[in-house]
Amino acid sequence: MLNADTTHPLAPKVVEALVDAATQLGHQSTYTGYGELEGNVKLREAICKNYYKPRGIDLQPEEIFVSDGAHSATFDIQALFGLDNIIALQDPIYPPYLEANLLAGRSDIIYLECNEQNNFVPEIPKSKVDVIYLCFPNNPTGAVATKEQLKAFVDYAINYDSIIIFDAVYSAFITDPKIPKSIYEIEGATECAIEIGSFSKMAGFTGLRLGWSVVPAALTLESTVAGELTQLCRISQSIRFWGASSLVQQGGIAALSCQQECQEIVNYYLENARILKEGLSALGLTCFGGTNNPYIWVKGPEGMNSWEVFNQLLCKADIVGIPGSLFGSNGEGFLRLSTLCRQEDIKKAMNLSD
């Protein structure tokens, strides 16, 4: 339960596609080398048609940039922006957002408070910022944002010529129809938001590495025109990245064609979350998340710091998590647990083994 790695096998149709793609590479007549740097056009078309279109979102393949996972995309996307930009990050935060900007040389960073009082969804910045990182469903807190809350950020970004970088990696875990799975479900978001998606959690591709970024043609930043950032991203990707594995991209196409089978894997992890959250709550612990999200954000007893919560659960239940203080100052006193694991291990920890 320590990290965000997955444990459930891939959907059979995905495995079949991977095997077929590997077989084709072994024959002269079907061998292929480098592909399109933006990603296999059939995969980009499938992302538009099978992932976004059912949500009422119209995107073009030219606006999709395939990556070898959301982690890489997070580091690469910041290269589009100047080093003097003011960056707004949630606290607690997924650490690579901060690390990517610090490594790039940025120092003007503000933090948006996420706590129990605001259900771990921050308020919009109180002053002008250039780039806002938002992650919903959230890692590490398990929080989700409503349409109204996301609309406030979109309105802010449009008003201040800011850019939202929206991490939607855990969108497949959303079961509440009232909760947006994409920032583009919010009116105006294509004018101000970049979205990062991934096959890692929605299809179990943590060992395969495949994701994407959406940079809409309508997106503008201060002193830019529509389409300029999309073209800049295309140039950046051609310089920094030689494309995701052609074999893995075939697996991604298959995953988008069998979303129900992939969703069954997600549902397995959601059941894990239900079991663990109910078990920990029965022990008297306050738990957040675990609904519409594979993470449970455990609050320790009053006066106990994150490492003490870590030690208590490790010693009493053999449960290993990540101390909340490692995600930022507002994570102190909490522990993040992942339910992307085997169900029998969770039942054993909760003394529910058959």
Side-chain angles (χ1 to χ4, degrees):
M1 299 177 196
L2 174 61
N3 57 32
D5 201 1
T6 53
T7 57
H8 210 67
L10 300 171
K13 191 168 184 178
V14 173
V15 175
E16 181 182 341
L18 293 171
V19 172
D20 182 61
T23 301
Q24 290 185 42
L25 293 176
H27 300 280
Q28 184 66 59
S29 61
T30 52
Y31 174 82
T32 56
Y34 292 125
E36 300 97 329
L37 295 181
E38 298 94 337
N40 185 322
V41 67
K42 291 184 178 179
L43 174 57
R44 289 183 282 133
E45 288 173 348
I47 291 171
C48 293
K49 179 181 177 181
N50 298 342
Y51 184 85
Y52 285 108
K53 190 70 172 179
R55 295 169 171 78
I57 301 164
D58 290 317
L59 293 171
Q60 300 302 313
E62 294 76 18
E63 299 171 296
I64 308 293
F65 297 88
V66 176
S67 68
D68 59 356
H71 190 93
S72 298
T74 297
F75 270 79
D76 290 344
I77 206 71
Q78 56 78 31
L80 297 177
F81 308 108
L83 297 183
D84 59 346
N85 281 179
I86 303 172
I87 309 297
L89 304 173
Q90 292 173 261
D91 180 8
I93 181 182
Y94 177 53
Y97 305 150
L98 175 61
E99 294 161 355
N101 282 283
L102 291 178
L103 285 172
R106 295 187 184 87
S107 58
D108 205 343
I109 298 172
I110 69 167
Y111 293 93
L112 307 177
E113 301 283 321
C114 300
N115 48 50
E116 286 184 73
Q117 288 67 43
N118 58 24
N119 293 316
F120 303 100
V121 179
E123 296 180 0
I124 61 173
K126 298 185 182 303
S127 57
K128 157 73 173 172
V129 301
D130 299 298
V131 182
I132 307 168
Y133 284 76
L134 295 176
C135 175
F136 292 108
N138 186 255
N139 176 11
T141 66
V144 292
T146 65
K147 286 185 177 181
E148 293 74 20
Q149 289 168 324
L150 292 180
K151 183 66 163 59
F153 277 96
V154 168
D155 290 345
Y156 170 92
I158 291 174
N159 187 45
Y160 283 95
D161 287 321
S162 304
I163 293 288
I164 297 170
I165 298 179
F166 190 78
D167 184 337
V169 167
Y170 299 96
S171 62
F173 289 83
I174 295 176
T175 58
D176 185 342
K178 296 180 181 179
I179 301 298
K181 291 189 174 186
S182 168
I183 189 70
Y184 301 126
E185 293 180 47
I186 310 302
E187 184 180 358
T190 55
E191 301 172 22
C192 65
I194 292 171
E195 181 162 289
I196 296 174
S198 172
F199 289 86
S200 289
K201 307 309 184 298
M202 66 180 278
F205 276 36
T206 54
L208 293 173
R209 311 307 305 138
L210 186 66
W212 73 86
S213 300
V214 182
V215 184
L219 182 70
T220 58
L221 187 62
E222 191 173 355
S223 301
T224 68
V225 297
E228 187 174 347
L229 284 174
T230 308
Q231 179 61 16
L232 182 60
C233 186
R234 184 171 294 108
I235 294 170
S236 176
Q237 181 136 333
S238 69
I239 295 170
R240 301 165 63 88
F241 184 57
W242 276 87
S245 159
S246 59
L247 186 153
V248 171
Q249 291 187 72
Q250 291 298 326
I253 294 170
L256 289 166
S257 72
C258 64
Q259 292 187 68
Q260 183 55 48
E261 289 87 342
C262 292
Q263 189 62 41
E264 290 173 6
I265 299 173
V266 171
N267 292 342
Y268 175 91
Y269 295 132
L270 284 171
E271 177 64 9
N272 285 353
R274 184 193 66 79
I275 294 169
L276 184 59
K277 186 173 183 179
E278 287 182 359
L280 293 174
S281 298
L283 294 176
L285 292 170
T286 301
C287 300
F288 304 91
T291 304
N292 301 306
N293 200 307
Y295 295 117
I296 295 178
W297 190 237
V298 182
K299 182 181 181 181
E302 191 69 32
M304 187 176 288
N305 66 38
S306 291
W307 282 102
E308 289 170 337
V309 180
F310 170 89
N311 287 327
Q312 185 178 76
L313 277 181
L314 176 62
C315 295
K316 291 187 176 181
D318 293 327
I319 294 176
V320 179
I322 298 181
S325 56
L326 299 181
F327 296 99
S329 60
N330 279 338
E332 184 60 83
F334 291 86
L335 186 76
R336 193 208 74 172
L337 298 179
S338 169
T339 62
L340 301 168
C341 53
R342 297 185 303 172
Q343 201 161 103
E344 53 265 37
D345 291 336
I346 287 185
K347 288 184 176 181
K348 182 179 180 181
M350 294 291 98
N351 295 317
L352 296 173
S353 300
D354 294 333

